C-alpha cells in the first residue's frame, strides 16, 4: 500500500506526533501546519489512530487485593502530608457554587451572593440548595436539625426563614437564611438569638439586601447549651448582648 | 462520587481528597492494569506500574487539563510513559532520545472523535482486532516495539537496519490503515 504524499512534509508527521523531532524542526513543522490543510488533517488522523492502539488489548482480571496495595503504597508514602491533607480536605468539603472555598464561609458567601442577586428561596429550595452543596462536595457534612422561623408580627407575614444545623466533621454550625425582612435604617441591625432556658445568646448580626434577604452563619461552641428556640430581633445597633429591639422572627 | 466527572475527580484529588482517588481507581484500574500487563507480560511489574500511575495521579500538580482532551487519553499517555520508563530502566538503555512525554497531548484533538466516547471498549477492541488483519508482520512488529515497548523510531531503524525514512513511512502507513479501517468498520469516526 502506498500513500499519496501530497506534501514533502508528510513523512515528518509521525516524527512530530511522537516528539522525535528537534525544537527547530518542530517550529518549522508547526509553521507549515498553519498553511497546509492536508498535513493538518493527517496529523489529526494519525493522532486518532495512535490513540486507538491501546484499545486493542484484552482486558484482564485485576487482582482483588491490588486496590488496597496501591492505596497503602500511596498513602503511606504520603503520610507526611496527612495534616496538610486533612486541612485541604476540609477546605474541599464545602465548595463551589461560585469558586469560594472557605468551608462554612464558602457556603455563607455563596448563598449570600445568590440571595443578593434577588433570588427568593422558600424553605424547600433552601434545603435543596444546601443539600446540593453537600452533595457536590461529598463532604461528611450532615444537616442534623432544621428550624423554621416565622414572622413574630402577625401583620407582617412576609418575613420567614430557616436555620439549619450542620455537623461538619466535629464542628457544629448553624446557618440562618432569612427573607421578607424590611431594610434597616441608620445603625440598625438584625440580631439572631439562640434561646436556652430563657437565656438568650447572640449568634451575630446581619443586614438584609434590597430584596429583604439576610444570611448568617454561626459556629456552635461545644459548650453552648442546646438550642431550644431561635429568635431574630431588629436592634438599634449591632452591639447589644441582650435583645433591646422588636422581635421579628421566631422558631 | 459516582456522579462526578473525571475532571471533577481530578480537581478533588488536587485537594487531596482520598475518596476521589479511590473512585478514579475503580473506574480505570482495569484499563491501567490491562495496559501494563499487556506491555510487561509480568503481573509483578504490572503492579509496580499501576502503583506508579496512581501515585502520579495523586501527586500531579497541573497534570490533566480537560481542555486538551479526554481524561482516558491523558491517563493512557501517563500509563504508557511510566511503562516505557520501566522498560528502559530494565534494559539500561538511557542512551536514546526520550520521547517527549506531553507531545501527544498537546496536539489539539477533536474530543468528539474520541473512540472511547463512541463505542464501548469491547466493541472497539473487536473492531481494532479485526483491523489488525490488514497489517503486515512488519507493521505489527513496529507497533509492538514503538507503542508497547517504547522504542523510538530511530532505535527501531537501527534494530531493523533500515533507513529511518522507511520506518517513518511504515508507521505512517500503519496508522493510516488502522484509522481507515476503523472508519469503515464503524461507519465514520470523523463525522
Amino acid at each position: 500500500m502506498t500513500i499519496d504524499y501530497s506534501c514533502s512534509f508528510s513523512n515528518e508527521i509521525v516524527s512530530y506526533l511522537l516528539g522525535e523531532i528537534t525544537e527547530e524542526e518542530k517550529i518549522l513543522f508547526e509553521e507549515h501546519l498553519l498553511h497546509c490543510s492536508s498535513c493538518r488533517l493527517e496529523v489529526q488522523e494519525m493522532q486518532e489512530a495512535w490513540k486507538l492502539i491501546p484499545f486493542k488489548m484484552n482486558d484482564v482480571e485485576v487482582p482483588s487485593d491490588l486496590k488496597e496495595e496501591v492505596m497503602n503504597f500511596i498513602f503511606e508514602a504520603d503520610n507526611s502530608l496527612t495534616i496538610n491533607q486533612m486541612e485541604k480536605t476540609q477546605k474541599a468539603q464545602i465548595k463551589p457554587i461560585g469558586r469560594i472555598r472557605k468551608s462554612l464561609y464558602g457556603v455563607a458567601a455563596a448563598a449570600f451572593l445568590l440571595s443578593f442577586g434577588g433570588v427568593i428561596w422558600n424553605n424547600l429550595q433552601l434545603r435543596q440548595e444546601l443539600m446540593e452543596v453537600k452533595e457536590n462536595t461529598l463532604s461528611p457534612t450532615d444537616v442534623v436539625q432544621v428550624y423554621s422561623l416565622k414572622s413574630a408580627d402577625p401583620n407582617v407575614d412576609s418575613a420567614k426563614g430557616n436555620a439549619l444545623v450542620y455537623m461538619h466533621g466535629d464542628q457544629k454550625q448553624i446557618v440562618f437564611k432569612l427573607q421578607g425582612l424590611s431594610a434597616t435604617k441608620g445603625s440598625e441591625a438584625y440580631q439572631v438569638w439562640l434561646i436556652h432556658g430563657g437565656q438568650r445568646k447572640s449568634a451575630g448580626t446581619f443586614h438584609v439586601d434590597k430584596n429583604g434577604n439576610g444570611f448568617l452563619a454561626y459556629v456552635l461552641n461545644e459548650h453552648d447549651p442546646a438550642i431550644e428556640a431561635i429568635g431574630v430581633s431588629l436592634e438599634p445597633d449591632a452591639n447589644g448582648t441582650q435583645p433591646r429591639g422588636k422581635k421579628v422572627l421566631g422558631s | 462520587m459516582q456522579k462526578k466527572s473525571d475532571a471533577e475527580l481530578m480537581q478533588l484529588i488536587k485537594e487531596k481528597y482520598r475518596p476521589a482517588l479511590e473512585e478514579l481507581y475503580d473506574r480505570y484500574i482495569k484499563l491501567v492494569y490491562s495496559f501494563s500487563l499487556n506491555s510487561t507480560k509480568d503481573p509483578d511489574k504490572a503492579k509496580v506500574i499501576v502503583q506508579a500511575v496512581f501515585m502520579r495521579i495523586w501527586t500531579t500538580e497541573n497534570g490533566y487539563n480537560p481542555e486538551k482532551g479526554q481524561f482516558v487519553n491523558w491517563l493512557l499517555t501517563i500509563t504508557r510513559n511510566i511503562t516505557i520508563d520501566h522498560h528502559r530502566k530494565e534494559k539500561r538503555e538511557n542512551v536514546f532520545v526520550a520521547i517527549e512525554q506531553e507531545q501527544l497531548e498537546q496536539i489539539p484533538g477533536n474530543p468528539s472523535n474520541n473512540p472511547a466516547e463512541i463505542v464501548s471498549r469491547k466493541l472497539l477492541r473487536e473492531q481494532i482486532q479485526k483491523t489488525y488483519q490488514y497489517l503486515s508482520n512488519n507493521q505489527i512488529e513496529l507497533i509492538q516495539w514503538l507503542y508497547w515497548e517504547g522504542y523510538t523510531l530511530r532505535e527501531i531503524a537501527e534494530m531493523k537496519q533500515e533507513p529511518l525514512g522507511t520506518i517513518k513511512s511504515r508507521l505512517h502507513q500503519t496508522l493510516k490503515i488502522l484509522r481507515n479501517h476503523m472508519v469503515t468498520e464503524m461507519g465514520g469516526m470523523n463525522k
Side-chain angles (χ1 to χ4, degrees), chain A residues 3 5 12 15-16 20 42 47-48 50 52 56-57 59-60 67 69 78 101 136 138, chain B residues 4 15 17 25-26 34 47 58 103-104 107 113 121 125 128-129 132 153 168 172 176 179:
Chain A
I3 289 169
Y5 288 125
E12 298 314 312
S15 313
Y16 174 73
E20 282 189 54
E42 281 297 292
Q47 193 193 14
E48 282 173 17
W50 179 261
L52 283 173
K56 175 180 176 282
M57 68 190 175
D59 271 348
V60 291
K67 183 170 182 179
E69 229 174 290
D78 208 26
R101 291 176 201 172
N136 273 340
L138 302 152
Chain B
K4 298 225 159 278
E15 308 275 0
Y17 191 55
Y25 176 96
D26 293 339
S34 299
K47 208 175 267 189
W58 182 245
Q103 183 71 23
L104 279 165
I107 304 162
N113 288 341
R121 275 177 56 205
R125 178 166 61 239
I128 296 175
Q129 286 174 349
Y132 261 60
L153 293 169
K168 282 185 192 174
H172 196 133
K176 198 108 182 152
R179 187 188 173 280

Side-chain angles (χ1 to χ4, degrees), chain B residues 59-73:
Chain B
T59 53
T60 189
E61 270 304 312
N62 40 13
Y64 171 59
N65 178 355
E67 284 165 19
K68 285 183 182 168
Q70 283 223 318
F71 178 77
V72 68
N73 288 322

Side-chain angles (χ1 to χ4, degrees), chain A residues 105-156:
Chain A
Y105 300 107
V107 180
F112 179 73
L113 285 174
L114 286 170
S115 63
F116 203 76
V119 185
I120 304 296
W121 305 81
N122 63 31
N123 296 355
L124 204 66
Q125 276 174 326
L126 169 65
R127 179 153 191 179
Q128 197 177 3
E129 176 208 343
L130 289 165
M131 294 303 275
E132 274 166 13
V133 170
K134 184 181 137 203
E135 197 176 286
N136 273 340
T137 57
L138 302 152
S139 81
T141 304
D142 285 317
V143 176
V144 291
Q145 205 163 358
V146 180
Y147 296 92
S148 183
L149 304 177
K150 294 180 189 67
S151 176
D153 180 352
N155 298 323
V156 191

Side-chain angles (χ1 to χ4, degrees), chain A residues 1-5 9-23 25-26 29-30 33 38 40-78 81 84-93 95-96 99 101 134-140, chain B residues 1 3-4 11-12 14-18 21-23 25-26 29-35 37-38 47 50-52 54-55 58-59 61 68 72-73 76 80 98-100 103-110 113-116 121 124-125 128-129 132 143 146-148 151-155 164-166 168-169 171-173 175-183 189-190:
Chain A
M1 186 188 238
T2 56
I3 289 169
D4 175 25
Y5 288 125
F9 271 89
S10 60
N11 214 21
E12 298 314 312
I13 290 171
V14 292
S15 313
Y16 174 73
L17 204 64
L18 295 173
E20 282 189 54
I21 193 170
T22 66
E23 204 50 40
E25 286 169 333
K26 189 177 162 187
F29 185 76
E30 284 179 347
L33 278 184
S38 88
R40 274 206 305 276
L41 186 65
E42 281 297 292
V43 166
Q44 165 121 22
E45 292 188 358
M46 294 290 104
Q47 193 193 14
E48 282 173 17
W50 179 261
K51 285 180 177 172
L52 283 173
I53 295 173
F55 291 96
K56 175 180 176 282
M57 68 190 175
N58 288 311
D59 271 348
V60 291
E61 273 310 306
V62 181
S64 55
D65 56 353
L66 183 58
K67 183 170 182 179
E68 202 185 335
E69 229 174 290
V70 170
M71 293 299 152
N72 285 346
F73 171 75
I74 290 172
F75 291 102
E76 270 162 33
D78 208 26
L81 289 172
N84 184 22
Q85 173 191 330
M86 280 167 63
E87 283 172 1
K88 279 189 166 181
T89 307
Q90 288 236 320
K91 279 188 200 163
Q93 279 164 355
K95 265 207 0 188
R99 296 203 169 204
R101 291 176 201 172
K134 184 181 137 203
E135 197 176 286
N136 273 340
T137 57
L138 302 152
S139 81
Chain B
M1 194 58 80
K3 286 185 194 158
K4 298 225 159 278
Q11 192 54 43
L12 284 170
K14 227 170 155 178
E15 308 275 0
K16 298 295 174 202
Y17 191 55
R18 176 172 171 162
L21 183 70
E22 300 207 10
E23 171 65 21
Y25 176 96
D26 293 339
I29 182 57
K30 207 168 188 104
L31 186 67
V32 174
Y33 186 72
S34 299
F35 189 107
L37 190 65
N38 194 59
K47 208 175 267 189
V50 167
Q51 282 179 344
F54 283 94
M55 183 60 115
W58 182 245
T59 53
E61 270 304 312
K68 285 183 182 168
V72 68
N73 288 322
L76 282 169
R80 178 168 178 269
I99 291 178
E100 202 179 308
Q103 183 71 23
L104 279 165
E105 297 165 45
Q106 282 173 355
I107 304 162
N110 182 345
N113 288 341
N114 191 290
R121 275 177 56 205
L124 192 59
R125 178 166 61 239
I128 296 175
Q129 286 174 349
Y132 261 60
I143 292 294
L146 186 73
Y147 190 91
W148 295 103
Y151 289 101
T152 63
L153 293 169
R154 201 154 294 165
E155 288 165 12
L164 182 57
T166 307
K168 282 185 192 174
S169 59
L171 177 62
H172 196 133
Q173 285 179 25
L175 293 176
K176 198 108 182 152
I177 292 169
L178 268 181
R179 187 188 173 280
N180 288 347
H181 280 282
M182 287 301 288
V183 171
M189 290 169 44
N190 206 17

